[in-house]
Amino acid sequence: MTAPRQRKGSKGKDPGSNIQNLKPDCTDEPKQRFATGGFSWWTILCLMTGSIVGVSLGLLCCIYVSTLHENDLWFSNIKEVEREISFRTECGLYYSYYKQMLKAPSIQQGLYELIHDNTTESKRTINILQRMNIYQEVFLSILYRILHIQTYLEPIYFYIYTVFALQTVYVIALFITSWLLSDSWLAGALSGVWYILNRVDTTRVEFTISLRENWSIPFFALQVAAITCYLRPQLKPIHQRVVLWLVFVSTFCFCLTWQFNQFVLLVQALIIFTLDCLDFFTAEQVVSLYLMQVFSLLLVWLLQFCNSMILGSLVLSFIVSALFIKHFQTGLKTGSFVIRVGKLALHTLLVFTLTFTINYSAKTILQLKSDEHIFKFIKAKFGFGATRDFDARLYLCEEAFGLLPLDTFERLAGTVLLYPYLCTLSVLFILLLLVALSNLSSNGSGQACREREDRTFRMRPDVAYNLLHTVFFGLLAFSTMRMKYLWTGHMCAFAAFGVCGKEVWSLYLRVLHCNTRTMMRLIRYSVPIVILAFLYYKFWPRLMEEISELREFYDPDTVELMEWIRLKTPKRAVFAGSMQLLAGIKLCTGRVLTNHPHYEDQALRERTRQVYQIYARQSAEEVHKVLSSVGADYMVLEDSICYERRHSRGCRLRDLLDLANGHIMDGPGENEPDLISASHPRFCEAIKTDTPPYSTLFTRVFKNKTFNVYKLKKLKKKNKAENSP
């Protein structure tokens, strides 16, 4: 393939490599230019049109998801407690800190309460800013206070509108990425339209507003756009510095807003490492991108009060190892093909060996176990870990952490996204392999560099990065469905680049022996316009029908429970129950919790497993002892968990507990031979008999069709001594 850009060192000047050159194809542009700016009228028109289209699509996406959220819940018409209940599971926990900051008498007092929090985990005082990524809630609460918009906008609307506005940022970032890759704003328009039409697979923001990924992924998309710009050939030094700052800021915002940042950045670091080994990047580019990741993580580490999980992350260990080995292993890119492959194999082995050595040492020194459950899950998922481990099975049994369902591809094909994506991916991946082999065959001398400029097949570094980005994150999405949201958005931008860019079409046209400038321009403009017209014809009526469907929030049992807790229990009462429900109790009532859904703490995971014995086969005395040890005053039992049917046998919560306790599972089916029958009935069922010893230790104080609330009776000291081991 003939390169559309010439690398540094070539004699010809690249007219389209500068950061300003975001235009469809201005090779035949009019000759009128501004006296000082150097831009043609056609370039200015292209930039203005593309910018307007990009911002318009971003705003359209924002309005679209906001409308869906309103219509699905009738959010503007329901009570405040119902609005808060709609923040399900961990979403409610995160939003509760925004609410807590607003209720504090001052910003300073609110921050103090977060740093010295004793309501999220009973009998413990923890630093929420250190433990969780909630700086976005803190920032929004401060912003809401100082903007003096209280009379115009309720706090909850300020919060959700901000999250929806980030979708605008997301779409604009995808728009810019595809525009930079293809030099056509039509690619940006196509990527934005595809993102909106594939909403089911690109985002879930309309019903999981507070999830950390909805805050962070837009910044990650911005970072990818900035990296794409940074890697454009012949970028001027001043532009490089500006774009590197954009890379740093977007990476920092991404890391600050999601606790899983280290794993995403690890994948990205592996992409950079791979392209460095294959000689697509310069040494300066590699070091700069690595350092942007390191500086971002270290700044987040400082803001999170020296959170040890960041220092013990694999990505930091990997980057340190890669830079260290790269510095001392000289002559890596010299020699014949066989010698270079051998050097790269040794280089890779050394980097990974040093990575695991540094990481193991760091975790040992820091006594870090915060991310232990993630590695247990990964090992169990691929058959290398214990399958009875409660934490691992808790993830393995959730659909979101399973393999990517095949119906995902049916939906993506229905919007004509999958076909151009696969065509672009396959063609460019083959080209990447050819260029990589050619790079490895050169000996790194000046003569080899000149030969590289004259090759028939080339690949720009920004294209190579985005190609491996979609490959790596595509594999991640295949292995874990929840990670698909990191892939599908970029998939839209990459497919749009394939439709509107020159790289793929030039190969096809060369095979057909009609690779002329006129034919290229005709195809690059006509194909995306035809696709956009088809998408409008097919999906616009569906979108109108979708946003016209009106539903209403309806969960009277949960509303009744929250109102009872708020009115009938002490403000410092401690509640035990499922993680998901307790997050809602904290948000709606402000009561103290025994456990919660933010699972990145080893002590909390152990406490959660203990509290969940209320759904296991345990004696009343044992359950009372466990709950008393964590300071619980009330216990909330959910019939939907006790008699769960959503999961199959072996994945119900009661089955996970039985396996962890070594007990035979309920119902017909096979059991492992070493499991034994429990000596006690299932606690959540037996307690409803209201017979001793259950009635002696627990009193039911609330009941509806879904929930049963029991108050723990305080044992006399004599009884406590008898029950103690």
Side-chain angles (χ1 to χ4, degrees):
M1 182 181 72
T2 302
R5 298 283 184 269
Q6 293 182 340
R7 297 194 177 200
K8 279 189 176 181
S10 61
K11 294 181 180 179
K13 184 178 179 182
D14 179 6
S17 60
N18 287 344
I19 188 173
Q20 311 100 306
N21 215 27
L22 297 171
K23 55 192 177 186
D25 190 335
C26 300
T27 53
D28 297 324
E29 62 190 29
K31 301 300 181 183
Q32 311 97 312
R33 293 182 178 274
F34 288 109
T36 56
F39 284 119
S40 72
W41 290 104
W42 177 245
T43 305
I44 294 296
L45 180 62
C46 292
L47 285 170
M48 290 182 62
T49 305
S51 301
I52 292 171
V53 172
V55 173
S56 299
L57 282 171
L59 292 174
L60 177 63
C61 181
C62 172
I63 295 170
Y64 175 50
V65 294
S66 177
T67 303
L68 290 177
H69 176 260
E70 167 63 27
N71 291 354
D72 190 53
L73 300 173
W74 202 4
F75 199 74
S76 60
N77 198 60
I78 57 179
K79 297 186 295 185
E80 187 69 15
V81 64
E82 293 175 313
R83 292 176 178 176
E84 292 178 346
I85 291 172
S86 71
F87 288 87
R88 302 288 185 180
T89 65
E90 60 188 289
C91 297
L93 181 67
Y94 298 133
Y95 181 77
S96 71
Y97 298 118
Y98 170 74
K99 180 180 176 181
Q100 180 178 325
M101 279 290 294
L102 290 176
K103 291 178 68 176
S106 66
I107 294 174
Q108 293 80 359
Q109 181 63 27
L111 290 172
Y112 179 85
E113 291 173 359
L114 290 178
I115 295 172
H116 304 86
D117 181 274
N118 56 11
T119 62
T120 302
E121 296 176 17
S122 56
K123 288 192 170 183
R124 291 176 183 167
T125 298
I126 62 175
N127 185 343
I128 299 296
L129 294 179
Q130 180 188 52
R131 178 82 71 82
M132 305 181 194
N133 297 70
I134 63 157
Y135 269 99
Q136 51 268 50
E137 278 76 20
V138 173
F139 174 75
L140 275 192
S141 64
I142 295 174
L143 198 61
Y144 186 78
R145 282 175 179 266
I146 64 178
L147 287 180
H148 303 294
I149 56 175
Q150 292 82 355
T151 56
Y152 309 105
L153 194 64
E154 297 176 60
I156 197 167
Y157 276 107
F158 182 67
Y159 186 91
I160 65 174
Y161 286 165
T162 302
V163 179
F164 291 149
L166 284 175
Q167 289 296 297
T168 302
V169 176
Y170 195 177
V171 171
I172 292 174
L174 297 177
F175 191 99
I176 293 173
T177 300
S178 54
W179 190 356
L180 285 166
L181 289 171
S182 64
D183 285 335
S184 172
W185 62 259
L186 281 174
L190 195 54
S191 65
V193 170
W194 268 331
Y195 178 84
I196 295 171
L197 294 181
N198 290 282
R199 173 188 55 82
V200 174
D201 296 301
T202 54
T203 183
R204 48 180 177 164
V205 66
E206 74 275 12
F207 60 91
T208 58
I209 295 174
S210 303
L211 274 189
R212 303 299 83 179
E213 68 188 47
N214 293 328
W215 286 93
S216 62
I217 292 181
F219 293 114
F220 187 59
L222 271 180
Q223 185 231 39
V224 172
I227 289 176
T228 302
C229 185
Y230 175 68
L231 295 175
R232 284 170 69 83
Q234 302 229 6
L235 196 66
K236 292 180 180 179
I238 181 64
H239 294 151
Q240 287 182 342
R241 288 192 289 271
V242 171
V243 174
L244 269 180
W245 268 106
L246 293 176
V247 172
F248 169 72
V249 171
S250 54
T251 307
F252 166 70
C253 292
F254 166 72
C255 294
L256 190 64
T257 51
W258 198 13
Q259 68 269 27
F260 292 143
N261 57 67
Q262 54 170 299
F263 303 103
V264 178
L265 290 187
L266 176 62
V267 176
Q268 193 175 60
L270 289 172
I271 296 170
I272 297 170
F273 177 78
T274 303
L275 292 173
D276 179 33
C277 290
L278 298 179
D279 208 11
F280 282 91
F281 289 174
T282 65
E284 180 185 358
Q285 289 173 333
V286 172
V287 173
S288 297
L289 292 176
Y290 278 152
L291 290 180
M292 292 305 101
Q293 290 187 332
V294 171
F295 292 154
S296 300
L297 285 169
L298 291 180
L299 184 55
V300 172
W301 173 71
L302 289 174
L303 287 174
Q304 288 196 283
F305 296 82
C306 305
N307 187 330
S308 58
M309 187 174 174
I310 296 175
L311 283 188
S313 63
L314 264 176
V315 63
L316 272 184
S317 302
F318 176 79
I319 293 174
V320 169
S321 303
L323 291 175
F324 182 82
I325 299 296
K326 183 179 177 66
H327 178 73
F328 286 99
Q329 193 177 9
T330 57
L332 184 64
K333 298 182 179 181
T334 58
S336 64
F337 177 80
V338 176
I339 293 176
R340 287 194 65 175
V341 171
K343 287 181 178 180
L344 285 179
L346 177 61
H347 177 71
T348 304
L349 179 63
L350 289 174
V351 169
F352 280 95
T353 302
L354 185 59
T355 296
F356 291 115
T357 302
I358 293 175
N359 191 253
Y360 177 79
S361 303
K363 288 186 175 181
T364 302
I365 294 171
L366 298 171
Q367 298 182 337
L368 179 64
K369 296 183 178 180
S370 300
D371 56 358
E372 185 181 51
H373 63 300
I374 298 173
F375 293 102
K376 283 183 180 179
F377 158 70
I378 294 173
K379 289 193 293 185
K381 186 177 182 69
F382 295 102
F384 299 111
T387 55
R388 289 187 190 175
D389 182 83
F390 178 76
D391 296 328
R393 290 192 66 87
L394 199 61
Y395 283 98
L396 287 172
C397 287
E398 284 298 322
E399 183 183 3
F401 292 93
L403 298 176
L404 188 68
L406 294 179
D407 61 356
T408 304
F409 301 102
E410 295 178 10
R411 292 191 297 270
L412 296 174
T415 58
V416 203
L417 170 62
L418 186 63
Y419 306 116
Y421 173 78
L422 291 178
C423 290
T424 306
L425 179 65
S426 56
V427 170
L428 291 184
F429 192 75
I430 293 172
L431 181 60
L432 177 80
L433 295 179
L434 293 174
V435 176
L437 288 173
S438 181
N439 289 347
L440 293 177
S441 299
S442 63
N443 58 18
S445 65
Q447 178 64 28
C449 293
R450 286 189 294 273
E451 291 175 357
R452 191 179 301 173
E453 297 297 336
D454 298 329
R455 289 177 189 162
T456 303
F457 298 105
R458 301 183 203 162
M459 179 172 282
R460 290 166 18 212
D462 55 336
V463 174
Y465 171 80
N466 279 275
L467 173 62
L468 284 196
H469 183 99
T470 194
V471 169
F472 277 55
F473 283 99
L475 293 174
L476 183 63
F478 271 86
S479 66
T480 308
M481 188 185 76
R482 184 176 178 180
M483 297 294 106
K484 73 176 181 179
Y485 301 105
L486 288 164
W487 173 56
T488 48
H490 184 266
M491 181 184 184
C492 298
F494 191 76
F497 152 63
V499 171
C500 302
K502 297 178 182 177
E503 280 73 8
V504 177
W505 287 122
S506 63
L507 288 175
Y508 289 149
L509 293 176
R510 185 177 299 169
V511 172
L512 298 173
H513 302 289
C514 57
N515 188 17
T516 63
R517 176 179 295 180
T518 302
M519 183 61 69
M520 176 68 75
R521 290 168 65 92
L522 177 64
I523 290 178
R524 290 182 65 217
Y525 294 153
S526 60
V527 173
I529 290 174
V530 169
I531 293 176
L532 287 170
F534 170 77
L535 294 176
Y536 176 83
Y537 173 78
K538 182 178 180 180
F539 290 100
W540 183 257
R542 297 187 189 181
L543 288 179
M544 293 299 100
E545 182 181 355
E546 185 180 22
I547 63 176
S548 64
E549 292 180 2
L550 302 178
R551 299 182 181 89
E552 184 177 356
F553 176 88
Y554 185 76
D555 191 355
D557 292 345
T558 306
V559 172
E560 184 184 12
L561 172 67
M562 298 303 174
E563 293 287 6
W564 180 85
I565 293 174
R566 186 175 63 84
L567 297 173
K568 301 294 184 180
T569 62
K571 291 185 177 180
R572 295 294 301 177
V574 180
F575 279 79
S578 69
M579 296 183 288
Q580 296 81 359
L581 179 64
L582 291 184
I585 288 176
K586 175 171 175 55
L587 170 58
C588 298
T589 69
R591 299 305 187 262
V592 183
L593 313 180
T594 56
N595 52 302
H596 54 81
H598 194 274
Y599 222 47
E600 279 64 53
D601 181 74
Q602 196 271 338
L604 176 68
R605 293 195 294 271
E606 178 59 29
R607 175 184 278 202
T608 298
R609 192 185 67 81
Q610 292 177 350
V611 170
Y612 274 14
Q613 297 304 311
I614 60 180
Y615 295 109
R617 296 180 181 273
Q618 296 286 1
S619 66
E621 293 82 3
E622 178 64 22
V623 171
H624 189 278
K625 176 185 173 183
V626 168
L627 296 182
S628 298
S629 68
V630 296
D633 299 311
Y634 296 89
M635 168 186 63
V636 185
L637 292 175
E638 302 170 64
D639 289 346
S640 59
I641 296 179
C642 190
Y643 307 105
E644 181 184 358
R645 296 180 180 178
R646 184 170 69 93
H647 290 102
S648 60
R649 185 175 185 269
C651 273
R652 300 168 298 190
L653 180 60
R654 60 180 187 267
D655 296 336
L656 305 187
L657 292 164
D658 288 342
L659 288 172
N661 295 337
H663 295 158
I664 293 175
M665 295 182 291
D666 286 343
E670 296 183 359
N671 289 284
E672 296 182 25
D674 59 328
L675 297 177
I676 62 173
S677 298
S679 56
H680 300 284
R682 193 164 303 283
F683 177 81
C684 61
E685 296 176 358
I687 193 174
K688 293 181 180 179
T689 61
D690 201 25
T691 58
Y694 301 99
S695 59
T696 306
L697 300 173
F698 304 92
T699 302
R700 185 160 62 190
V701 291
F702 175 84
K703 177 185 178 182
N704 63 21
K705 291 185 293 183
T706 306
F707 304 104
N708 289 272
V709 181
Y710 292 86
K711 185 175 183 180
L712 277 69
K713 293 183 178 180
K714 302 297 183 183
L715 294 180
K716 296 180 180 179
K717 291 184 178 180
K718 182 179 179 181
N719 290 341
K720 284 186 178 180
E722 292 175 355
N723 290 330
S724 62

